[in-house]
Amino acid sequence: KQEVTQIPAALSVPEGENLVLNCSFTDSAIYNLQWFRQDPGKGLTSLLLIQSSQREQTSGRLNASLDKSSGRSTLYIAASQPGDSATYLCAVSRIQGAQKLVFGQGTRLTINP
Amino acid sequence: EAGVAQSPRYKIIEKRQSVAFWCNPISGHATLYWYQQILGQGPKLLIQFQNNGVVDDSQLPKDRFSAERLKGVDSTLKIQPAKLEDSAVYLCASSRTSGNSYNEQFFGPGTRLTVL
């Protein structure tokens, strides 16, 4: 059974800092890994999707890496801004069958002005 | 392109009552998902439809939860009777198709259920 863990559960940093969020998964036989953002009272917004054949994806100030062999992914946020405050979730999907996403519990990020 | 629509946004009921949630996926999306997100946890898949057929309902508490997707478009999720532990946000998502090629899932705003 796939399990996804995110550390830390919460993180508070001053504006302008670069930061890293961590995600680990127990079964390396994944199809892809996805990072989402969730604002309070809102649904999930997809940030980056890394397919199993890829090692990283970049979008603006965000960079996500994937190491399947070690069961780890990191989300790097450069030059953090107060608008980046949200909960960040990672999720993995299996290689075959239904594209069910298994989520971590999320990291609640607060950027202080 | 309109996003995934869900209603109601909020619902408060007492335990043992019944409740229903509605989801309208993005037009043309064949696959629809219902997730349950308990406070402080990540979403957990309850049921997945491909058109109007069930693909995965292994984590759906079938003694009290039911879902349907008539005509392969809108979907409803029902809880009867509700328990205190059903308090959560219920998220609906849709994607173009399933199978062996991944298609990105798009999420609705969710329905926050409080059971008293």
Side-chain angles (χ1 to χ4, degrees):
Chain A
K1 178 186 174 185
Q2 178 72 271
E3 293 185 0
V4 181
T5 303
Q6 291 186 247
I7 296 174
L11 181 63
S12 181
V13 301
E15 180 179 2
E17 279 202 5
N18 303 323
L19 58 98
V20 174
L21 306 181
N22 297 293
C23 172
S24 62
F25 45 95
T26 54
D27 185 353
S28 62
I30 63 169
Y31 192 67
N32 56 49
L33 184 143
Q34 198 163 356
W35 283 92
F36 292 88
R37 168 184 174 140
Q38 186 173 34
D39 293 281
K42 301 285 181 64
L44 276 65
T45 301
S46 178
L47 297 173
L48 291 164
L49 185 154
I50 311 176
Q51 304 219 12
S52 60
S53 58
Q54 300 173 324
R55 294 190 65 84
E56 67 175 335
Q57 282 286 333
T58 298
S59 176
R61 294 182 294 108
L62 305 180
N63 175 276
S65 66
L66 173 63
D67 184 345
K68 283 180 57 179
S69 61
S70 66
R72 294 180 181 179
S73 175
T74 60
L75 178 66
Y76 175 82
I77 302 177
S80 59
Q81 303 171 358
D84 295 331
S85 297
T87 295
Y88 291 80
L89 294 147
C90 72
V92 299
S93 65
R94 297 177 299 180
I95 284 183
Q96 294 181 343
Q99 295 299 330
K100 168 177 147 179
L101 288 174
V102 179
F103 284 84
Q105 74 274 34
T107 294
R108 188 171 67 252
L109 177 64
T110 303
I111 307 300
N112 302 305
Chain B
E1 179 179 71
V4 176
Q6 291 188 246
S7 68
R9 293 295 312 279
Y10 307 91
K11 189 74 176 178
I12 300 175
I13 62 172
E14 299 199 348
K15 60 183 179 182
R16 292 188 288 273
Q17 286 187 323
S18 61
V19 64
F21 313 127
W22 174 82
C23 173
N24 186 6
I26 293 173
S27 178
H29 281 194
T31 308
L32 185 146
Y33 313 77
W34 283 102
Y35 290 86
Q36 179 192 57
Q37 186 177 22
I38 293 172
L39 186 65
Q41 299 181 18
K44 179 185 77 173
L45 180 71
L46 292 176
I47 188 167
Q48 177 182 347
F49 292 95
Q50 172 87 0
N51 296 308
N52 55 348
V54 175
V55 175
D56 185 347
D57 64 356
S58 57
Q59 298 192 92
L60 185 74
K62 299 180 184 63
D63 58 333
R64 298 184 298 106
F65 286 64
S66 64
E68 60 181 9
R69 190 183 185 197
L70 301 177
K71 301 180 182 178
V73 182
D74 294 6
S75 176
T76 56
L77 176 69
K78 297 179 181 178
I79 308 175
Q80 181 179 9
K83 293 185 176 181
L84 296 177
E85 58 261 37
D86 298 332
S87 294
V89 176
Y90 291 84
L91 295 164
C92 179
S94 69
S95 66
R96 288 195 177 277
T97 188
S98 182
N100 289 329
S101 61
Y102 181 80
N103 285 276
E104 184 178 1
Q105 295 182 28
F106 295 85
F107 284 78
T111 296
R112 181 178 297 277
L113 173 67
T114 302
V115 182
L116 303 176

